[in-house]
């Protein structure tokens, strides 16, 4: 599938030029990060919680405990999970044309709790999305830990993707003659050097997969 | 006010050790960024949209157009606005103890549309939060642009703050004897060099306030 199916809810209304229905754009956005913002309705009002996620080709996995008042319900309520990368500022000639370069995916749907083998696989996906290599390096969840974890799966069935990139677009209007500088200011994220926990004995080296961790382009 | 008042909705339930009621923590989190995730309920289901904000001592300002299907209602519906900074990964000895270092503020309430002088002041606050110095450098909004802009104000009356920082806390458990490296991986964001728009004539220098733009510690 190279195109994302559009629904009434994901049809781009505002800033249509930023809407994308390319499946490759969705995959790249989900691959580039590990933190999403989960929206749920609690007692009729919205609640937005940051949490980690793992993405496969057809679903997101995330912890059910993050909005426990809402996500412990049966049946599960609908959610909206949004993954956003802020790529920089658009500095136009006029305040009105200012903006942000960003990539954003919004996933709508009803999550389901997963169990058994799929729960373990989902936790592997989530762990590897955050910290590639740690599933094989760290001690894996034991039975008690697994029982204490609620893992939810949200299908990538209803998705909206928006991308803004590039310079301000007021370069052909009257403001361009003002002589003001305009352009964009790219924003980059990167990991600093790993900080060992205080109890780690001197001489235990940083494992190669941790030293090599890079962000997609979050 | 140095303490944040706690309500039923903002009382910390999970991960209580991460909850903060220090007003200084809230102010620092809001000052360190310019993108929030706005949650609104549309047709009974949640919708989470990234957008820019500006913070004063007692309110957030943001554009009303971002979730136009919902936020053009009168009266305004309740929203949850969440500002999150991801500060790094917590790499524990066990998968179960992995986590993220972060700072997060969730603001609940009903926004109101502002007009007249306050609208202009709110736009100044929002612009200066994103791009300090641009309110005085760029062309300010004219009447037509102001009329095309809906600016909402959300009081900082009901707020929840959570902060996680530091190393993994499984250093005193049985996993610590496994000899595995553990620690945290700090994540930093920074602006790259400004990129001039294609129409900017050669020789127009990057203004000093743009060259000097830094992120709080987003």
């Amino acid at each position: 599938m190279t195109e994302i199916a559009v629904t009434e809810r994901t049809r781009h209304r505002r800033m249509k030029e930023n809407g994308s229905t390319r499946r490759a754009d969705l995959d790249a956005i989900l691959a580039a990060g590990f933190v999403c913002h989960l929206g749920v309705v609690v007692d009729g009002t919205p609640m937005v919680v940051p949490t980690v996620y793992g993405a496969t080709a057809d679903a997101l996995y995330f912890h059910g405990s993050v909005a426990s008042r809402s996500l412990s319900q049966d049946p599960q309520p609908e959610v909206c999970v949004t993954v956003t990368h802020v790529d920089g500022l658009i500095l136009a000639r006029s305040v009105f044309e200012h903006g942000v370069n960003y990539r954003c995916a919004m996933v709508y749907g009803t999550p389901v709790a997963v169990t058994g083998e799929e729960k373990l696989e989902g936790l592997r996906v989530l762990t590897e999305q955050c910290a590639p290599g740690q599933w094989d390096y760290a001690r894996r969840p034991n039975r008690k830990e697994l029982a204490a974890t609620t893992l939810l799966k949200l299908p990538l069935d209803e998705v909206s993707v928006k991308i803004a990139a590039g310079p301000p677009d007021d370069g052909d209007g009257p403001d361009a003659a003002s002589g003001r500088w305009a352009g964009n200011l790219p924003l980059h994220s990167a990991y600093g050097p790993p900080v060992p926990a205080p109890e780690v004995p001197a001489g235990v080296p940083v494992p190669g997969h941790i030293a090599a961790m890079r962000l997609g382009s979050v």
Side-chain angles (χ1 to χ4, degrees), chain A residues 100-177:
Chain A
V100 172
N101 281 329
Y102 68 98
R103 291 159 294 145
C104 174
M106 296 165 62
V107 186
Y108 296 94
T110 303
V112 292
V114 292
T115 55
E117 279 303 306
E118 185 178 4
K119 187 172 183 175
L120 208 63
E121 170 61 11
L123 286 171
R124 187 192 68 76
V125 167
L126 192 154
T127 303
E128 289 293 296
Q129 177 115 23
C130 300
Q134 282 294 88
W135 186 256
D136 283 337
Y137 181 76
R139 179 179 62 71
R140 293 195 190 163
N142 59 32
R143 235 161 85 157
K144 193 176 154 194
E145 290 167 344
L146 277 177
T149 305
T150 305
L151 192 71
L152 298 179
K153 178 190 191 175
L154 179 65
L156 294 176
D157 289 344
E158 193 172 359
V159 180
S160 170
V161 172
K162 284 197 180 180
I163 298 172
D169 59 4
D170 60 351
D172 55 358
D175 289 325

Side-chain angles (χ1 to χ4, degrees), chain A residues 30-49:
Chain A
L30 296 181
F34 58 87
V35 170
C36 62
H37 280 80
L38 167 71
V40 284
V41 180
V42 179
D43 299 334
T45 64
M47 181 177 173
V48 178
V49 192

